[in-house]
Amino acid sequence: MKFLDEYRDPKLAAQLSRQIHKITTKSWVIMEVCGGQTHSIVKFGIDTLLPEQVELVHGPGCPVCVTPLEMIDRALAIAIQKDIIFCSFGDMLRVPGSQTDLLSIKAHGGDVRIVYSPLDAVKIAQENPQREIVFFAVGFETTAPANAMAVYQARELGLHNFSLLVSHVLVPPAMEAVLSSKFNRVQGFLAAGHVCAVMGYSEYPPIAAKYKVPIVVTGFEPLDILQGIAMCVQQLEEGRCEVENQYVRSVTAQGNPYAQDLVSKVFKVVPRKWRGIGEIPQSGLCLRPDYEDYDAEIKFNVAEIKTQESAECISGLILQGVKKPYECPAFGIKCTPQQPLGATMVSSEGACAAYYRYKRTPSWTN
Ligand code: SF4
């Protein structure tokens, strides 16, 4: 298949694997930031092609996984109300809140709808003027432009029955949180290519310099990831800590200025709580005061809902590269995709779901 097969060529993969073996002389821990990269690594067995000294750990770049439990509870508190149409991307529906989930609310008659774009939710608002439409706006810099566009468009259309429940998070502050943690093991990063396609990578050189880590902007296909690892190991072996771009076919240093402009018109940067990790300063987005009328937290008065996360779920440690999913006592026993305890077992980008799906345990990999 054009634009896919060429990035999955087994001969080139073997060549890159040999190159990584050849240049590796010491032990290195590299974090792939994005959950999509984690799934590619586990699905295609990329980690098994690496020398023993190169360990990959899985980062916090899974939007569903890092959405705090209390934000899920706020979504549930809105979705259960009469005359609400609650719209969300599909993978949020099974994420457990403290009592229930969106899918159960739907099964019990709630009007919860899966949409593929926030603009679909705007259209639903146009078609249902007598009802309130709420879109659950989660995700990183990648989804922020479309969500910003939805609010912008709703205002242009004069819609007053549309709002966003915003739980946006930003990648660079999360990378800094990982690096400044007392548990940190990460020595190099594969940065998320799609985030950089929007934002560029000018935010990364200060992080690379401050924490002395190489950062390689990397794509999602097997050859992208192997090449990103090779570039990162090469820097580590040479004692360099620079920002390099493996994903040149999609990413430029400046990113997409039009998308950035729209995001900064609609959203402002705020501290944000990350599931399992806690609050990270300046790591999220919320609507600017100008767009307050479209803020579902204010409209439905749910901002005061606070929830303690389960102590049983160690997803926070997994998302910071401290533990692997199979080190969680609940993995595959009390926590499965059918009966998930935490979001990393539900999300299509979650590390626990990837390890479960592809049967990754120490006994399987040895
Ligand atoms: S296996 Fe389940 S309980 Fe354990 S960290 Fe993963 S999601 Fe949380």
Side-chain angles (χ1 to χ4, degrees), residues 312-316 318 325 328-332 335-336 340-346 352:
E312 229 174 336
C313 176
I314 62 158
S315 63
I318 294 168
C328 172
F331 178 76
C335 181
T336 63
L341 277 183
T344 39
M345 187 56 99
V346 182
C352 297

Side-chain angles (χ1 to χ4, degrees), residues 58 183 276-277 313-324:
H58 318 306
F183 303 114
I277 298 174
C313 176
I314 62 158
S315 63
L317 295 174
I318 294 168
L319 296 171
Q320 293 175 84
V322 181
K323 296 230 177 212
K324 293 280 167 60

Side-chain angles (χ1 to χ4, degrees), residues 79 81 84-87 105-106 109-113 131:
Q81 293 180 33
I84 297 284
I85 302 176
F86 194 90
C87 300
I105 289 182
K106 185 176 172 63
D111 199 343
V112 176
R113 301 188 191 180
R131 297 181 66 188

Side-chain angles (χ1 to χ4, degrees), residues 28-144:
W28 303 114
V29 178
I30 297 173
M31 173 178 274
E32 82 281 356
V33 170
C34 173
Q37 292 167 328
T38 304
H39 266 252
S40 278
I41 287 165
V42 179
K43 177 178 176 183
F44 293 103
I46 291 169
D47 47 343
T48 64
L49 300 176
L50 303 177
E52 258 178 24
Q53 302 104 300
V54 178
E55 183 187 355
L56 297 180
V57 293
H58 318 306
C62 157
V64 172
C65 306
V66 299
T67 301
L69 187 57
E70 63 194 23
M71 197 53 89
I72 309 285
D73 282 347
R74 288 172 200 173
L76 298 167
I78 297 171
I80 210 158
Q81 293 180 33
K82 206 167 154 269
D83 286 333
I84 297 284
I85 302 176
F86 194 90
C87 300
S88 170
F89 294 133
D91 49 2
M92 280 314 272
L93 262 64
R94 291 190 57 249
V95 178
S98 48
Q99 302 290 332
T100 182
D101 55 40
L102 286 167
L103 197 61
S104 302
I105 289 182
K106 185 176 172 63
H108 287 95
D111 199 343
V112 176
R113 301 188 191 180
I114 295 173
V115 292
Y116 295 98
S117 156
L119 297 177
D120 295 342
V122 174
K123 192 156 176 273
I124 294 171
Q126 280 181 286
E127 292 163 356
N128 295 273
Q130 74 291 3
R131 297 181 66 188
E132 282 289 336
I133 316 308
V134 180
F135 178 73
F136 200 0
V138 302
F140 289 85
E141 293 90 333
T142 41
T143 50

Side-chain angles (χ1 to χ4, degrees), residues 8-282:
R8 296 182 178 186
D9 184 319
K11 280 195 190 130
L12 289 176
Q15 207 173 305
L16 282 165
S17 166
R18 281 196 296 277
Q19 184 190 335
I20 297 167
H21 277 263
K22 200 168 154 197
I23 60 177
T24 304
T25 65
K26 301 189 191 104
S27 294
W28 303 114
V29 178
I30 297 173
M31 173 178 274
E32 82 281 356
V33 170
C34 173
Q37 292 167 328
T38 304
H39 266 252
S40 278
I41 287 165
V42 179
K43 177 178 176 183
F44 293 103
I46 291 169
D47 47 343
T48 64
L49 300 176
L50 303 177
E52 258 178 24
Q53 302 104 300
V54 178
E55 183 187 355
L56 297 180
V57 293
H58 318 306
C62 157
V64 172
C65 306
V66 299
T67 301
L69 187 57
E70 63 194 23
M71 197 53 89
I72 309 285
D73 282 347
R74 288 172 200 173
L76 298 167
I78 297 171
I80 210 158
Q81 293 180 33
K82 206 167 154 269
D83 286 333
I84 297 284
I85 302 176
F86 194 90
C87 300
S88 170
F89 294 133
D91 49 2
M92 280 314 272
L93 262 64
R94 291 190 57 249
V95 178
S98 48
Q99 302 290 332
T100 182
D101 55 40
L102 286 167
L103 197 61
S104 302
I105 289 182
K106 185 176 172 63
H108 287 95
D111 199 343
V112 176
R113 301 188 191 180
I114 295 173
V115 292
Y116 295 98
S117 156
L119 297 177
D120 295 342
V122 174
K123 192 156 176 273
I124 294 171
Q126 280 181 286
E127 292 163 356
N128 295 273
Q130 74 291 3
R131 297 181 66 188
E132 282 289 336
I133 316 308
V134 180
F135 178 73
F136 200 0
V138 302
F140 289 85
E141 293 90 333
T142 41
T143 50
N147 291 336
M149 177 55 86
V151 178
Y152 182 82
Q153 205 177 78
R155 192 157 81 171
E156 291 291 296
L157 291 166
L159 294 176
H160 298 291
N161 62 331
F162 175 81
S163 56
L164 289 185
L165 180 62
V166 181
S167 189
H168 268 301
V169 279
L170 302 170
V171 166
M175 289 165 69
E176 288 212 63
V178 167
L179 289 167
S180 46
S181 157
K182 62 179 180 196
F183 303 114
N184 178 45
R185 303 172 58 226
V186 176
Q187 295 162 293
F189 278 107
L190 306 185
H194 53 358
V195 167
C196 297
V198 177
M199 299 305 293
Y201 49 87
S202 60
E203 292 171 281
Y204 294 146
I207 299 175
K210 180 174 173 188
Y211 298 94
K212 304 201 178 345
V213 288
I215 301 175
V216 180
V217 178
T218 303
F220 300 87
E221 288 300 320
L223 294 187
D224 290 322
I225 293 170
L226 280 165
Q227 193 178 30
I229 295 167
M231 291 164 75
C232 197
V233 171
Q234 186 79 48
Q235 285 206 49
L236 287 163
E237 289 283 341
E238 291 173 4
R240 289 187 291 123
C241 43
E242 295 162 18
V243 177
E244 292 180 326
N245 182 12
Q246 178 279 329
Y247 205 30
V248 285
R249 68 181 184 279
S250 302
V251 173
T252 59
Q254 69 276 15
N256 181 334
Y258 302 105
Q260 292 164 24
D261 188 46
L262 182 61
V263 169
S264 63
K265 270 197 181 99
V266 172
F267 293 116
K268 64 175 184 174
V269 176
V270 287
R272 180 69 74 192
K273 202 168 166 183
W274 294 54
R275 190 166 189 167
I277 298 174
E279 186 169 296
I280 303 177
Q282 305 303 92

